[in-house]
Amino acid sequence: MLPRFVGRLGIADAVTIANAALGFVAVVVAFVDIDLAARLILLAAVADGLDGLLARRYGGTDAGPYLDSLADVASFAVAPAALAFVVVTDGLNISLESVSAELLFVLTICALFVAMAVARLGMYTAYDTADDYTEGVQTTLAATVLGAAILAGVADPVLVLAITGAFCYLMVSRISYPDLLARDAGIMGVVHVLAILIPNFAGRTFPYALLTLGVAYMTLSPWLYWRDREDTSSQTTTTHGNA
């Protein structure tokens, strides 16, 4: 007897499910090799964008939006929180052998990141998928910024904890973020892939570039990103990858 999903899920859904698996692997690897874990999270973000392209090319399924949000919980909620937890506890020499006030504080911030990411993903699926903008920082972007920061060597534990805490609010804020035009998403995608493949090239140029682009979009696009909504609506990125 064939599994229930045979004939019901498409190629885009398969990539989405693989994205969730990457999130789990990143969590485990974070306790062994923090740079590799960061690269896996960035790879999951690439898969998150790829499934949207495949859905547009070959057609999506009714299960697609739900699978997308479920996969994002693993890759862009749990995995980056685990990444931040390891960086902060290692950097501040917080022992995991006993419960301390410091450990509880770090654990609370990281758990809150997961909780707010899940809330943001649920609201995105319910309210934002039909629009060319979304409210709150995308979980994919939050994970990308954290991953790129680690690969760029910006791994001061206090700063990482502060960034993680800031995302707890930004992901559920009412700030509107426009969907990127295909042209701009393509440019960022190229930098994203190069940051994964050759993170140490020329003094970590590509992780720094990805971090700069991510922070620039996060801080400037709600007010300065120009687009003609009538003429360019067909050129925007798909709903996949914007959660």
Side-chain angles (χ1 to χ4, degrees):
M1 182 180 297
L2 293 175
R4 185 182 180 190
F5 58 77
V6 174
R8 292 186 174 183
L9 301 183
I11 185 172
D13 300 322
V15 174
T16 300
I17 293 169
N19 173 16
L22 280 173
F24 168 74
V25 175
V27 170
V28 176
V29 170
F31 292 90
V32 180
D33 186 333
I34 199 69
D35 280 2
L36 179 56
R39 293 168 75 181
L40 288 171
I41 290 174
L42 294 184
L43 182 59
V46 172
D48 191 48
L50 179 61
D51 65 8
L53 294 176
L54 291 172
R56 184 166 60 181
R57 175 65 178 82
Y58 298 104
T61 64
D62 291 341
Y66 301 99
L67 290 173
D68 193 62
S69 289
L70 288 170
D72 288 354
V73 169
S75 297
F76 310 128
V78 177
L83 191 75
F85 179 81
V86 172
V87 169
V88 174
T89 53
D90 284 356
L92 297 180
N93 295 315
I94 297 174
S95 174
L96 303 182
E97 296 181 358
S98 61
V99 178
S100 64
E102 293 84 359
L103 179 61
L104 285 175
F105 180 72
V106 175
L107 190 61
T108 298
I109 295 297
C110 293
L112 187 61
F113 179 95
V114 174
M116 294 301 99
V118 170
R120 189 260 187 277
L121 288 165
M123 290 187 292
Y124 173 81
T125 303
Y127 303 117
D128 295 350
T129 55
D131 298 321
D132 55 8
Y133 68 91
T134 183
E135 289 190 337
V137 167
Q138 301 92 328
T139 56
T140 311
L141 178 61
T144 295
V145 168
L146 284 169
I150 299 304
L151 289 180
V154 185
D156 178 82
V158 175
L159 178 60
V160 170
L161 186 62
I163 293 172
T164 304
F167 278 132
C168 291
Y169 166 73
L170 290 173
M171 287 189 294
V172 293
S173 71
R174 291 185 176 274
I175 301 172
S176 293
Y177 287 89
D179 293 350
L180 287 175
L181 298 175
R183 172 201 62 210
D184 300 330
I187 293 171
M188 193 166 183
V190 170
V191 176
H192 200 127
V193 171
L194 290 174
I196 297 169
L197 295 177
I198 46 176
N200 296 318
F201 176 78
R204 307 192 184 196
T205 294
F206 294 116
Y208 270 114
L210 180 60
L211 178 61
T212 300
L213 289 172
V215 172
Y217 170 82
M218 185 174 66
T219 56
L220 300 178
S221 68
W223 299 276
L224 299 179
Y225 190 67
W226 181 87
R227 54 182 293 163
D228 186 328
R229 295 184 182 274
E230 293 183 358
D231 294 340
T232 62
S233 59
S234 63
Q235 303 176 34
T236 60
T237 56
T238 62
T239 56
H240 289 71
N242 293 325

